[in-house]
Each structure stands twice: as C-alpha cells, then as structure tokens.
Amino acid sequence: MIVFRPLKDSDAGILLIWMSSPHVQPFWTEDGSTPEDEVETALDLIGSDDGAAFIIELNRRPIGYIQHYACGPDQPEGALGIDLFIGDVSLTGEGLGPQILRQFSDDLLARGATRLVIDPASSNDRAISAFRKAGFEIYETRDGVTLMSRSPRLSA
C-alpha cells in the first residue's frame, strides 16, 4: 500500500542520502544547488502555505519523496506543481512511479486543484514515460525541460 506521510525534520538524513544518489542528484541539483540545499528547500515546506512535502511509503517503508506547491503566474489559479523521486534505487523501473503519481494527482484534483504541472528534464526519458502513464501530457519543451500537465476530466 502506498501512503504519503507528511515530511518531518527527522527525515532530513534519508532525504540527503536519496538526493545524493546518482539516480536522483543530476535531476534535483540543478543551477548549482547541492543535495544539502535541496533538503533544506524540502524541509522549508513543512507547515508552509505555499506547498506540502511528503515521504512516500510502500507498506510502511520509506521509498521516496513527493511535494506539491503553488505554480507561478503563468498558470491558472489553483494550479499546483509536483516534484517526486523514488529514492530506493532498487525500486526504480518497477512501475511504481506512475502508480505513485496517479494516486497523488487524483487526490490533489479531487481536492480542487485546477491543473497539475510537472517539469522533468528533457533528458529524463524514464520520468517522462512514467508521467505519461500517470495521465500527464506534454504541452511544451524549453530550456532542457519538458513541461507536462494533467487537468481534471470533465464528465458529460
């Protein structure tokens, strides 16, 4: 069972290990940031009105990280950005990414998000494929980033 547990200060150690891992670091430490910087940024979301951060647990075992935050003015009101990774490299390539993202996204849309946006590096083919499987569609590619979104489905 996949659960999203709110991030706690005591998660800093595992976040640092994950964010320093070769399968995560190149995609999370852009623009000169370090894994330590990224951990601080994640911890800043605790209790924030601008977003929320969670540890992804699989059968009560921490396996990754996911966050959402308010998008900038170029997105509709109520749009949320999402970032995530599976920190346990042994679980990558197992189909968990799309399942995690779909579950998290379904919940955000059910709670009123107007649009969800995710921005993997254009070179991250595995992430782009996983995000497509979770219902996200590419709407733009620029500056080495593939912008993808998912909106609520309107029923007839």
Side-chain angles (χ1 to χ4, degrees), residues 8 10-11 25 46 49 54 75 81 85 131 139:
K8 302 180 287 193
S10 60
D11 293 317
Q25 185 174 1
I46 297 172
D49 292 334
F54 303 88
Q75 295 293 328
F85 60 78
F131 300 161
Y139 68 90

Side-chain angles (χ1 to χ4, degrees), residues 73-149:
D74 61 330
Q75 295 293 328
E77 186 164 336
L80 297 174
I82 299 174
D83 297 309
L84 77 149
F85 60 78
I86 295 175
D88 183 339
V89 71
S90 71
L91 296 175
T92 60
E94 300 292 317
L96 283 171
Q99 182 181 350
I100 288 165
L101 184 55
R102 182 171 294 279
Q103 182 178 329
F104 193 75
S105 297
D106 286 350
D107 183 57
L108 291 175
L109 292 169
R111 290 193 280 140
T114 59
R115 184 179 198 200
L116 302 176
V117 179
I118 198 159
D119 60 350
S122 296
S123 62
N124 194 344
D125 294 330
R126 288 178 72 175
I128 292 168
S129 174
F131 300 161
R132 280 187 156 148
K133 290 176 186 173
F136 283 73
E137 297 175 354
I138 295 172
Y139 68 90
E140 187 177 343
T141 300
R142 67 170 178 232
D143 301 324
V145 173
T146 298
L147 301 171
M148 304 177 77
S149 68

